[in-house]
Amino acid sequence: MLRSIAVGGAVTCATLAGWLKAELAEAAPRLRPPGALDEKAFLAACIKCGQCVQVCPVQAIKLGDLAEGVGNGVPYIDARAQACDFSCDATQCVLACPTGALSHLIDKKEQVTIGVARLSRPEGCLARQGKGFKGTARGADYKGRLRYPEIDRWKPKPVAEHPYDLDLCDLCVRQCPIEGAIRLEPVSTDPADKRRTPVVQASCVGCGVCEMICPAEPAAITIDIKVTGREPKAAG
């Protein structure tokens, strides 16, 4: 504990002295919780209280460690490990934030966002290969959880306890919590061609469920971080 206090104090002093700058955090961008301000404004507003972590129903929000410099103690989401499943409509973490670092007003639309999904590794996508999928999406040892509305709308269930038997893999579409945010489209005009490609729609909120549930390793679909006024960045 004393070592952590000492290192934390050193990081704080270095930041105040100007040796560490906010740009360091942007070098390896992170997915922030729903409704996060633009990165610099978010880092300035977040007081690292951890309230968003406490209220997240699927424990998707984690706090950065000392290796992240000024990002130490700042909340982030690792979608591959545990996505924000958006079942709470992105209200709990936003309402818990005491400083406005997370806000429902930032996107100026009905639904707050985290980022946007992208088929970053099309060669690994089972649907594009015309293949099905049988078994648990991430294996028996995977610890992630997801709410399955057809089973229980409110209680998250371990992904490892939910096996699939699909003629054509459509997990990114099937488990997306935002209806119509991803759809499968034919790869060719041949009616006998089973291959389909995931196409991300404008309604995508970047929750990361598609990245989390993708059975390919590494994931064929990933989340790019929204950056106000600029193109989205790939998450670090």
Side-chain angles (χ1 to χ4, degrees), residues 153-184:
R153 169 67 172 80
W154 303 108
K155 186 177 181 180
K157 179 180 179 181
V159 173
E161 295 179 7
H162 194 84
Y164 298 90
D165 189 356
L166 308 173
D167 292 332
L168 180 69
C169 183
D170 67 348
L171 289 178
C172 58
V173 175
R174 180 182 296 261
Q175 299 304 160
C176 178
I178 308 299
E179 185 176 357
I182 309 178
R183 66 179 181 221
L184 292 183

Side-chain angles (χ1 to χ4, degrees), residues 165-218:
D165 189 356
L166 308 173
D167 292 332
L168 180 69
C169 183
D170 67 348
L171 289 178
C172 58
V173 175
R174 180 182 296 261
Q175 299 304 160
C176 178
I178 308 299
E179 185 176 357
I182 309 178
R183 66 179 181 221
L184 292 183
E185 296 185 357
V187 171
S188 72
T189 57
D190 182 357
D193 190 349
K194 289 179 57 179
R195 295 177 300 160
R196 298 291 185 272
T197 188
V199 178
V200 179
Q201 307 301 305
S203 55
C204 172
V205 297
C207 64
V209 168
C210 55
E211 179 176 344
M212 170 183 169
I213 205 69
C214 180
E217 193 59 55

